[in-house]
Amino acid sequence: MKKIVLLRHCDRLGSDYCGGGSDVSLSDEGLKKASEIAPFLAGAGFDAVYCSPMLRCRQTVEPYLKLTGMPETEMENLREMNFGEWENRSYSELESSGGRLFSDWISNPYGCAPPGGETMQDFEQRVLKSWQRISGNDRFGRILIVTHGGPIRTILSLLSGCSGSSENRQNFSWKFMVEKGRSCIINVYDDLNTAIECTNIEPAWLDHYIRN
């Protein structure tokens, strides 16, 4: 059996905007948190680290990598959803100026993409590819994945067996609470069946869950 930890990046700069594809930095508080959680990550004894290439994820894992000397593998498909031309614009601004396209996207993000962005369907598929590649690798027993809220909720909802309409999948994914700087742990058994052990835990609890 392998244990896979999904860690959401720490607090970033900015709020209330469509910015999944924007490469923004962590805030000062986020940088502080990244340093604080590094010893707890080190104590978990990971064999491999995979990371979104976006700056806020790399900054989150950097103190841990410096502390342990562990290498990391950046995976493009672990990026947050791309909002295209709507990047760095607030939801309230888009609601007032986005017109029919914005309302169509709100009602059906699986079939409608922001201008120059991606649909939720495309986003789900690329995240699933990364998950299958990582979880199917037999070389490592303890794996850390540093990514974003969207990919984590997508993985959790897919592993929970959510199916049916796109609206149902979208609503289901938001039932998972994944706060910035917190982790989810997934057990992957030898037959590739999975179990979600815990969600939204502070890194200080990782050692307890990983070693028990």
Side-chain angles (χ1 to χ4, degrees):
M1 183 186 77
K2 63 172 69 72
K3 286 183 178 283
I4 300 181
V5 174
L6 303 172
L7 171 65
R8 187 179 181 185
H9 63 77
C10 299
D11 288 335
R12 53 157 173 76
L13 294 173
S15 61
D16 188 33
Y17 69 95
C18 291
S22 298
D23 210 14
V24 297
S25 171
L26 293 182
S27 64
D28 289 342
E29 184 62 29
L31 291 169
K32 179 183 177 183
K33 178 75 170 179
S35 294
E36 290 173 349
I37 67 178
F40 299 113
L41 296 176
F46 293 111
D47 304 310
V49 180
Y50 295 88
C51 185
S52 160
M54 303 189 82
L55 180 60
R56 54 193 182 272
C57 290
R58 291 187 285 109
Q59 288 178 322
T60 295
V61 78
E62 184 177 12
Y64 160 71
L65 298 177
K66 287 183 175 179
L67 182 63
T68 62
M70 281 283 294
E72 65 167 325
T73 300
E74 290 186 7
M75 296 189 72
E76 189 71 20
N77 284 340
L78 290 174
R79 285 177 174 268
E80 185 60 281
M81 184 173 172
N82 183 2
F83 288 87
E85 294 177 15
W86 291 349
E87 290 284 340
N88 294 320
R89 298 177 65 187
S90 69
Y91 286 93
S92 56
E93 176 190 356
L94 289 169
E95 188 174 15
S96 61
S97 64
R100 178 64 181 272
L101 181 57
F102 182 72
S103 61
D104 287 347
W105 176 72
I106 288 293
S107 62
N108 182 23
Y110 280 83
C112 182
E118 62 184 334
T119 66
M120 187 69 76
Q121 181 76 29
D122 292 336
F123 171 66
E124 269 190 2
Q125 289 177 351
R126 68 169 168 83
V127 171
L128 182 58
K129 286 180 181 178
S130 286
W131 171 256
Q132 290 172 334
R133 176 182 169 186
I134 294 171
S135 63
N137 190 331
D138 293 330
R139 294 170 54 203
F140 308 116
R142 296 176 183 172
I143 300 171
L144 174 65
I145 299 176
V146 185
T147 183
H148 311 262
I152 292 175
R153 281 191 294 270
T154 294
I155 291 168
L156 293 176
S157 63
L158 291 172
L159 293 182
S160 297
C162 181
S163 60
S165 68
S166 58
E167 181 180 4
N168 183 49
R169 298 202 306 277
Q170 179 187 1
N171 291 337
F172 191 83
S173 69
W174 284 101
K175 294 184 182 295
F176 292 102
M177 173 66 72
V178 187
E179 297 178 40
K180 295 182 181 70
R182 292 197 174 189
S183 303
C184 305
I185 300 179
I186 299 170
N187 296 329
V188 181
Y189 300 97
D190 294 341
D191 60 2
L192 297 185
N193 282 319
T194 58
I196 299 171
E197 182 171 355
C198 55
T199 63
N200 206 44
I201 65 167
E202 287 282 2
W205 283 91
L206 280 176
D207 183 69
H208 169 77
Y209 283 101
I210 288 290
R211 299 185 185 279
N212 288 290

